[in-house]
Amino acid sequence: MTDIEKSATAGKHVVRARRIRFAYPDGSLDRHFVDGDLVMSHVIAQLSATFPEGEDFFVRSVRHYADRITDPELKAQVQGFIGQEVTHGREHRALNDRLNRMGYPTRFIDRRTRVDLKLFERVLSPLTCLAITAALEHFTAVFAETLLTDERAQALLGSTEVRSMLLWHAIEESEHRAVAFDVYRAVGGTERRRIVTMRVIRATFTLSVAFFAALSLLGDRATYNPVRLLRSLNRLRHSPFLSRRVLSRLFAYTQRGFHPDDSDNAALLARWTAELFGEQGVLVDHLH
């Protein structure tokens, strides 16, 4: 075991996939399912549309190096990471099918995401793909932990099945937030490549979200109500997902010596594991 692997896995928690299913019967979701908010509904829908292909890319990037990991704890976490990400992709495909029937262009975004990620794999090295995975995992973990810690963010999702699914997704993103990062370090990824990759991803991710959300909005008649659109854009400016704290955590990644576990999430995971999957957990009936 290398010194990097030892330091990376010290005190880590178990990462394991949960066998879980969600359902979205016709009529169970309002057209603008995020608290009736026009823009946020389209932002969440387009993000969901990118997840299945994104999760598959993450799995391939990490699995490429799995046989080079010698530390048994990190090996176990890699297996848990893969199981969780495969399940995330499957459940987001189910949600995306429902959103597509509601008029969101999730199938188009899914296809576009597949083409883009396949291009990355053709022109970039496996180590750079792993660095991209670690960078995007930081984004998802920061947004996931914002959902788990900020009541304003939770309130946006009401009491729908989407809320349940995103809370489950969020807790698992928080559980495995450091796995791709630790694999990257364990196989010799440099700080320079990690930081440069994040700087590029930070710009391209933001542009991608804006582009696909705008594309989605253009297909919604409600977008052409200027009062509603402006009110929704104003709400977006004050979104808990765009707070100074969130932006600070996102930018922390480009500091030398950064590690995802610099912020302690043990209490957060314990609280939500009990709330969702404890003896009286609200999602116990979703487990299989």
Side-chain angles (χ1 to χ4, degrees), residues 250-263:
L250 290 175
F251 276 83
Y253 190 95
T254 51
Q255 297 173 3
R256 286 194 167 272
F258 167 86
H259 191 277
D261 290 337
D262 289 342
S263 60

Side-chain angles (χ1 to χ4, degrees), residues 2 4 7 25 45 81 94 124 142 174 191 197 206 228 252 260 269 288:
T2 67
I4 288 177
S7 64
F81 170 88
L124 301 174
V142 170
S174 187
E191 285 286 85
T197 299
T206 302
R228 184 169 185 183
L269 289 177
H288 297 275

Side-chain angles (χ1 to χ4, degrees), residues 114-281:
R114 183 188 310 125
V115 170
D116 291 345
L117 294 177
K118 289 294 185 182
L119 177 62
F120 287 173
E121 290 175 302
R122 283 199 300 271
V123 303
L124 301 174
S125 69
L127 191 58
T128 297
C129 288
L130 182 58
I132 291 171
T133 295
L136 288 172
E137 281 290 302
H138 181 63
F139 268 92
T140 55
V142 170
F143 291 137
E145 290 174 5
T146 300
L147 176 61
L148 296 174
T149 55
D150 195 315
E151 292 183 356
R152 295 175 302 154
Q154 296 159 32
L156 289 173
L157 300 174
S159 58
T160 66
E161 188 82 333
V162 174
R163 179 184 192 274
S164 297
M165 193 271 272
L166 290 180
L167 286 173
W168 155 75
H169 191 166
I171 194 174
E172 293 197 346
E173 288 296 330
S174 187
E175 285 174 344
H176 72 231
R177 66 183 183 178
V179 175
F181 187 100
D182 288 340
V183 172
Y184 174 80
R185 289 183 60 186
V187 299
T190 64
E191 285 286 85
R192 182 178 184 278
R193 186 193 299 257
R194 177 183 71 79
I195 291 170
V196 170
T197 299
M198 173 54 103
R199 286 175 176 158
V200 174
I201 289 299
R202 206 156 52 199
T204 56
F205 177 82
T206 302
L207 289 172
S208 174
V209 171
F211 174 78
F212 283 129
L215 181 69
S216 185
L217 281 160
L218 288 173
D220 189 333
R221 291 177 60 185
T223 302
Y224 301 94
N225 179 330
V227 174
R228 184 169 185 183
L229 178 61
L230 289 173
R231 284 177 178 170
S232 185
L233 288 170
N234 187 58
R235 286 185 70 181
L236 182 65
R237 289 176 54 231
H238 302 286
S239 169
F241 295 103
L242 297 177
S243 68
R244 288 185 179 179
R245 180 176 178 275
V246 169
L247 296 177
S248 176
R249 287 193 63 189
L250 290 175
F251 276 83
Y253 190 95
T254 51
Q255 297 173 3
R256 286 194 167 272
F258 167 86
H259 191 277
D261 290 337
D262 289 342
S263 60
D264 185 6
N265 66 351
L268 184 68
L269 289 177
R271 172 198 162 192
W272 281 100
T273 299
E275 186 164 331
L276 299 181
F277 303 109
E279 189 173 337
Q280 303 296 323

Side-chain angles (χ1 to χ4, degrees), residues 63-92:
R63 185 178 275 152
H64 181 87
Y65 290 99
D67 61 354
R68 290 178 54 180
I69 303 300
T70 58
D71 171 50
E73 188 170 2
L74 185 53
K75 268 185 171 292
Q77 289 184 340
V78 166
Q79 290 305 308
F81 170 88
I82 290 171
Q84 287 186 343
E85 296 291 54
V86 168
T87 307
H88 296 172
R90 184 196 70 209
E91 291 305 308
H92 274 280

